[in-house]
């Protein structure tokens, strides 16, 4: 739950970076991300545009090729951009620096799930628009919250019982709320979703500042098949861990939602991390769903998401 940190590259390494830090650019100055993508696409393929901080006036433009980033830097730095209303941009080359964790080795943070090479893991940037995000947040505020120890939740379709780590299939709460109908339709129509589904379960999680997730794999019996997670209102960094058999133990053997007892004491572990920007949809399937623990460290950055929109 920490913003990714982009820093200046070392001297001589500028032209090897595909990322640009662009100031005087973003929603706070009237420029939406899709408009920014369109303006910078004239220099090459843009992988994505991300908030550089919480100001809304500085962004990271990430190109597929470093040469494209350098061309955009030469053409636009300190000059008015005609495709952005004549706004003068202040640009510098940047590289992604992974966040440090006390007592732990740093993990490189990727901007795209494909870079992690975890089968079954997909990340769809800008899955919804900023307007749709605001409408969802307003709709959620009118729902019925259940308070847990560190966060609030809402359940639709079927209620997840945290004491048993499962659902009671005999207690159906009803159809999913109308405010997610367009999301369900978008999932069903997406050519990038590996299989077509009838989604019937939704949990809304609200994470206050500083609250994350312990490394865990969601209960297979309660959340079958695929898990979709839509991030709202803020970004975060999610880490994925795969533990070697015998290097960790669940808190309770009878609970199928496996959560690592002392995750930082496990030496035999593969760790990878990805940046989840607001309005992005994360899909866990296959190996990513069943073999990798997902984890969000506790940091002081607000994040709210729709987690576990599942079959």
């Amino acid at each position: 739950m920490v913003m990714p940190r982009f820093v200046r590259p070392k001297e001589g390494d500028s032209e090897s970076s595909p990322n640009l830090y662009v100031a005087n650019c973003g929603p706070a100055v009237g420029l939406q991300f899709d408009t920014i993508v369109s303006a910078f696409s004239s220099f090459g393929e843009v992988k994505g545009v991300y908030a550089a901080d919480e100001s809304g006036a500085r962004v990271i433009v990430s190109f597929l090729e470093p040469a494209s980033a350098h061309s955009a830097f030469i053409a636009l730095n300190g000059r008015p951009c005609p495709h952005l209303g004549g706004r003068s941009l202040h640009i510098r080359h940047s590289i992604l620096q992974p966040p440090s964790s006390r007592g732990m080795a740093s993990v490189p943070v990727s901007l795209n799930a494909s870079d992690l090479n975890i089968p079954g893991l997909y990340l769809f940037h800008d899955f919804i628009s900023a307007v749709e995000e605001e409408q969802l947040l307003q709709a959620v505020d009118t729902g019925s919250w259940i308070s847990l120890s560190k966060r609030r939740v809402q359940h639709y379709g079927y209620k997840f019982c945290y004491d048993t780590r499962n659902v009671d299939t005999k207690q159906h709460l009803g159809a999913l709320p109308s405010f997610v109908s367009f999301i369900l339709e978008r999932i069903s129509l997406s050519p990038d979703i590996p299989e077509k589904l009838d989604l019937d379960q939704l949990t809304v999680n609200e994470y206050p500042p500083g609250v994350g997730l312990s490394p865990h794999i969601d209960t297979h019996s309660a959340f079958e098949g695929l898990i979709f997670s839509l991030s709202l209102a803020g970004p975060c960094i999610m880490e994925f861990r795969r533990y070697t058999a015998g290097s960790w133990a669940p808190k309770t053997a009878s609970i199928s939602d496996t959560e690592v007892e002392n995750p930082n004491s496990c030496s035999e572990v593969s760790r990878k991390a990805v940046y989840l920007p607001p309005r992005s949809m994360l899909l866990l399937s296959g190996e990513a769903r069943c073999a990798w623990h997902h984890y969000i460290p506790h940091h002081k950055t607000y994040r709210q998401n729709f987690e576990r929109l599942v079959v």
Side-chain angles (χ1 to χ4, degrees), residues 63-213:
F63 285 92
L64 184 64
E65 300 292 342
S68 301
H70 188 65
S71 296
F73 174 82
I74 296 298
L76 298 178
N77 183 36
R79 301 177 182 179
C81 177
H83 300 295
L84 296 177
R87 182 172 295 278
S88 294
L89 306 178
H90 307 285
I91 306 175
R92 67 169 185 256
H93 289 280
S94 295
I95 57 175
L96 181 63
Q97 177 175 296
S100 60
S101 301
R102 286 185 296 177
M104 298 170 56
S106 296
V107 181
V109 179
S110 299
L111 296 177
N112 296 280
S114 58
D115 296 338
L116 273 60
N117 196 29
I118 298 178
L121 182 67
Y122 303 89
L123 179 63
F124 307 104
H125 294 271
D126 295 314
F127 193 80
I128 63 172
S129 68
V131 172
E132 291 169 334
E133 177 186 37
E134 184 59 33
Q135 292 172 343
L136 283 172
L137 291 173
Q138 292 177 5
V140 167
D141 283 340
T142 64
S144 299
W145 290 103
I146 299 173
S147 295
L148 303 179
S149 60
K150 294 183 179 180
R151 68 182 190 275
R152 299 191 302 171
V153 299
Q154 294 179 21
H155 296 286
Y156 300 92
Y158 293 94
K159 180 180 179 180
F160 181 72
C161 301
Y162 294 94
D163 53 345
T164 62
R165 301 289 179 123
N166 214 328
V167 296
D168 186 351
T169 56
K170 297 180 181 179
Q171 295 186 4
H172 187 233
L173 303 177
L176 298 186
S178 59
F179 59 75
V180 296
S181 296
F182 78 95
I183 298 176
L184 302 180
E185 181 180 8
R186 198 161 295 170
I187 289 175
S188 68
L189 296 176
S190 174
D192 298 316
I193 303 301
E195 56 185 278
K196 302 308 176 184
L197 308 161
D198 290 323
L199 303 178
D200 63 0
Q201 188 178 352
L202 169 66
T203 300
V204 179
N205 285 301
E206 181 188 55
Y207 297 94
V211 175
L213 290 171

